[in-house]
Amino acid sequence: MTQNADNVLDHFELFRGPEYQQMLENKRRMFENPKPAEDIERVREWTKTEEYKDKNFAREALTVNPAKACQPLGAVFVATGFEGTIPFVHGSQGCVAYYRSHLSRHFKEPTSCVSSSMTEDAAVFGGLNNMVDGLANTYSLYKPKMIAVSTTCMAEVIGDDLNAFIKTAKEKESLPADFDVPFAHTPAFVGSHVTGYDNALKGIVEHFWDGKAGTAPKLERQVNGSINFIGGFDGYCVGNMREVKRIFDLMGVEYTLLGDNSDVFDTPTDGEFRMYDGGTTLEEAANAIHAKATVSMQHFCTEKTLPMIEGHGHEVASFHHPVGVAGTDQFLMEVARLADVKIPEALDKERGRLVDAIADSQAHIHGKRFAIYGDPDLTIGLSKFLLELGAEPVHVLSTNGGKAWAARMEEVFASSPFGADCKAYAGKDLWHMRSLLFTEPVDFLIGNTYGKYLERDTGTPLIRLGFPIFDRHHKHRYPVWGYQGGLNVLVTILDKIFDEMDKNTNVPSKTDYSYDIIR
C-alpha cells in the first residue's frame, strides 16, 4: 500500500509494503553485484572465529568504525561553554555541518557554529580572504562577545596561520582590534575530539591570561582562595555541571567553571530563541588566573591545558571521569583539601544512600562480565565503578587511548581481584570489539549509540553510556558524577540487566519460572 494522506504510515510499516520490498530487491539485483546467500553466510560465520580475530587484530593500515570523533568537534564543544561565544571553524561548510549535527542530535538542542566556507580556490591560494570575510560576517550578524577559532583538515594541510590571519582581519577592520578571538590549531587528521577540546581550551585560557595575543598586557596573578574546575569533553555536561555546582555550593567552595555548557545545551522552550545562554563569563575566564588551584575531571582531556595552568603557579589535580563511591570520595576529598573546606553531612548522607543502593542490588551485578568502549577517561571511570560493584570489565577498548591510558587501565585491573582476567585495548576500533564479543563473549556491552550494531550482530545487550547517544533521549540531563550520578549509572545498568532477565524468561509455562515481579 503506497503512502496517502488518508492513511499515513510511519516508516516502520511503509517500507515493509510489497512495492518497496520489490524496489529494494531490484536495486540489489541491478546495482549491488550480489553474492549468493550461502557465500555471504559462510563468510559471516568465519568472521566470528579465532582465526579471523587474529587477522583482524593484525591489521595496521585500516580503521573500521573508530569510537572517536575529530579534533574540531571538541573545539566547538569548548567554545559553547563561554558567555556569548560562537565557534568559528576555518574550513569547509560540510565539516561544520557535521559538528553541529553531532552535538544537536545528542543534546537535542540547536548548536550554533560558523564556517569560513573554504572551497577549492582557498585550498590552492590559502584561506585568508575567507577568514577576513567570515569574521566580519560573524561579528555583524550574530553579535557575539567572543569568537573562538579552530581549524579543519583543509586549513591545516595548506598551513594557514591563524594568528597571522586574525591579526590581518583586525587590520582590515573585520572586527574591533580589541575583540576577543582566541584560536587553536585542531587538525582533524590526528588526535580526536578529546585532543581538540584540550587544544581549544588551552587557546582560550592563554588568550586571557597571556595578553590576548599581544593586544593587552599579561595578567599579574593575585592568588585568592578559589579553585577552577574543568569538566572535559562530556556528553553529560548538562547534568554533570549542575551537579558539580550543587556539590561545590554545599561545600562552600569558591569556584569558577571553565567552559560551562550546561545552559546552552538545555535551553527552555518559552518563546525566546537563545543563541547564547549561560556559560563562563569572559571576566570569569580572565580572573581564573587568580585561583589557587585548578581541577580537571578528565585527565586525558587536559594533557596540555593543565601543565600550562600549572606553569602559571596553580596547584593542579586531575581525575578520570570519577563514577561511583570511591571515585567521588577521591574527588571530594581533593577539592576539600584544595579549597580548605569540610565535606558537609549532606554529602555524607548521599554517599550512604549510594552504598545502600549498591548493597540492595549487588547480587544482580556481581560476577557479570562487561565490555566497555569510549573515551579514555570515561572507560577508566566506568571500569573502576564496575569493579566496585563486583563485576568484571573484561574488554575495555578506547580508540583514542594510547600507551598511558593502557598503563592506567592495567593499574585499575590490578587494584581488584575482579580485574584479573580483564584487558585494555588501546587504539582499537569497534570492528576489533566485534571479534572480541564473538570469541570471548560477555554479558553486557557499555558504550555509545554506535554499539547498537554490535548488539544486533553479536547479541550482546547494549547499555548506553557515553557520547554520542542519538537513539535515546535526555540522558545528558542526568549526572553521572557525584554520589547522585553514581546512583544514575547504577540504575541504568540494573534496568538493562532486569530487562534481559525478563526477556529470557517470558515464555508462558516454559521459561516463566523466573519471570518474577520482585527482583
Side-chain angles (χ1 to χ4, degrees):
M1 181 179 182
T2 57
Q3 192 71 279
N4 65 76
D6 295 324
N7 183 24
V8 178
L9 301 177
D10 64 31
H11 58 94
F12 296 110
E13 298 297 331
L14 179 65
F15 295 113
R16 295 174 185 175
E19 63 272 43
Y20 286 101
Q21 291 296 302
Q22 186 60 53
M23 179 187 69
L24 293 172
E25 178 57 34
N26 290 341
K27 177 177 179 290
R28 280 190 289 267
R29 179 173 51 82
M30 297 171 63
F31 302 109
E32 295 181 5
N33 189 28
K35 301 296 180 183
E38 57 271 20
D39 289 351
I40 295 174
E41 188 59 29
R42 176 178 54 79
V43 173
R44 179 184 288 122
E45 288 301 313
W46 175 64
T47 63
K48 301 176 183 179
T49 65
E50 286 281 352
E51 178 188 13
Y52 180 80
K53 185 183 80 170
D54 292 341
K55 292 180 179 297
N56 189 11
F57 273 78
R59 61 183 160 93
E60 298 178 358
L62 174 67
T63 300
V64 183
N65 200 6
K68 69 181 182 76
C70 60
Q71 280 206 52
L73 178 70
V76 170
F77 180 88
V78 168
T80 62
F82 290 86
E83 173 199 28
T85 299
I86 192 162
F88 182 106
V89 181
H90 186 43
S92 70
Q93 289 181 340
C95 291
V96 172
Y98 157 63
Y99 313 139
R100 294 181 63 186
S101 65
H102 222 59
L103 293 170
S104 296
R105 288 167 178 169
H106 176 84
F107 291 109
K108 310 304 180 197
E109 290 286 339
T111 302
S112 299
C113 180
V114 296
S115 164
S116 61
S117 301
M118 292 178 68
T119 53
E120 291 86 348
D121 58 340
V124 175
F125 300 108
L128 175 60
N129 291 335
N130 298 71
M131 178 70 75
V132 171
D133 294 341
L135 289 176
N137 290 337
T138 302
Y139 179 76
S140 299
L141 289 173
Y142 304 118
K143 308 293 190 277
K145 293 184 178 181
M146 182 167 78
I147 301 172
V149 179
S150 55
T151 54
T152 65
C153 297
M154 183 188 298
E156 291 295 328
V157 167
I158 63 177
D160 280 358
D161 184 339
L162 291 184
N163 188 34
F165 282 16
I166 292 168
K167 286 181 178 179
T168 300
K170 288 184 174 182
E171 290 169 0
K172 292 179 177 292
E173 300 182 344
S174 291
L175 65 179
D178 60 351
F179 190 79
D180 291 309
V181 189
F183 64 89
H185 287 273
T186 53
F189 45 78
V190 295
S192 71
H193 56 287
V194 165
T195 322
Y197 179 99
D198 194 10
N199 287 332
L201 182 62
K202 179 173 179 285
I204 291 173
V205 174
E206 283 181 326
H207 170 80
F208 285 106
W209 294 7
D210 292 342
K212 298 188 176 183
T215 62
K218 291 186 177 182
L219 294 177
E220 292 294 330
R221 184 165 179 253
Q222 300 174 349
V223 182
N224 56 37
S226 70
I227 65 171
N228 301 324
F229 175 87
I230 300 171
F233 189 100
D234 178 24
Y236 298 89
C237 63
V238 172
N240 276 342
M241 285 295 192
R242 291 172 181 169
E243 181 67 6
V244 167
K245 291 180 204 176
R246 185 186 72 86
I247 290 172
F248 283 177
D249 290 340
L250 281 173
M251 296 176 69
V253 175
E254 184 181 347
Y255 62 92
T256 297
L257 270 56
L258 287 174
D260 179 8
N261 342 58
S262 58
D263 287 340
V264 75
F265 285 135
D266 191 29
T267 58
T269 296
D270 57 2
E272 177 187 351
F273 171 66
R274 297 168 173 82
M275 178 172 285
Y276 317 106
D277 198 20
T280 306
T281 69
L282 307 190
E283 182 181 12
E284 288 171 339
N287 288 335
I289 192 175
H290 306 307
K292 65 183 295 188
T294 297
V295 172
S296 169
M297 211 63 158
Q298 299 193 70
H299 173 82
F300 291 105
C301 286
T302 50
E303 289 186 293
K304 296 177 182 177
T305 302
L306 268 196
M308 181 272 295
I309 290 175
E310 188 175 24
H312 283 76
H314 287 226
E315 184 174 356
V316 299
S318 63
F319 304 90
H320 296 292
H321 209 292
V323 179
V325 180
T328 302
D329 287 352
Q330 182 188 11
F331 169 64
L332 294 184
M333 287 189 291
E334 185 67 1
V335 169
R337 182 187 70 81
L338 292 171
D340 194 22
V341 298
K342 293 184 178 180
I343 299 173
E345 182 182 358
L347 290 176
D348 285 339
K349 286 186 175 180
E350 288 182 17
R351 182 186 192 276
R353 292 179 188 122
L354 176 57
V355 172
D356 183 65
I358 291 172
D360 291 341
S361 307
Q362 185 266 351
H364 294 286
I365 300 179
H366 178 84
K368 292 289 192 300
R369 291 161 53 87
F370 291 81
I372 308 172
Y373 66 90
D375 289 339
D377 292 294
L378 176 65
T379 52
I380 292 173
L382 289 175
S383 296
K384 293 177 74 173
F385 188 41
L386 287 175
L387 292 171
E388 191 171 73
L389 298 173
E392 300 176 24
V394 178
H395 311 305
V396 184
L397 181 150
S398 183
T399 307
N400 47 350
K403 292 181 179 178
W405 169 81
R408 182 70 186 105
M409 283 304 317
E410 291 302 326
E411 293 174 3
V412 170
F413 297 149
S415 69
S416 168
F418 302 112
D421 297 320
C422 302
K423 186 174 180 180
Y425 297 90
K428 302 303 181 183
D429 55 45
L430 295 187
W431 195 250
H432 292 110
M433 178 63 85
R434 178 182 181 274
S435 283
L436 291 171
L437 294 178
F438 274 125
T439 58
E440 302 173 60
V442 296
D443 298 305
F444 295 94
L445 174 67
I446 298 179
N448 61 26
T449 282
Y450 292 106
K452 71 185 300 179
Y453 298 105
L454 291 173
E455 180 178 39
R456 181 179 65 179
D457 197 8
T458 69
T460 311
L462 172 66
I463 299 170
R464 289 166 175 78
L465 288 166
F467 176 92
I469 296 178
F470 295 150
D471 62 335
R472 299 293 186 271
H473 288 201
H474 310 304
K475 301 291 185 181
H476 62 279
R477 301 180 192 272
Y478 299 91
V480 299
W481 292 339
Y483 301 122
Q484 298 284 59
L487 182 60
N488 289 334
V489 174
L490 176 66
V491 170
T492 298
I493 294 171
L494 286 169
D495 280 350
K496 192 66 173 184
I497 290 174
F498 294 143
D499 284 343
E500 290 301 308
M501 290 170 66
D502 286 344
K503 187 186 300 182
N504 292 328
T505 60
N506 65 355
V507 180
S509 301
K510 291 186 178 180
T511 64
D512 61 347
Y513 44 79
S514 296
Y515 196 66
D516 297 331
I517 291 176
I518 300 172
R519 295 290 191 195

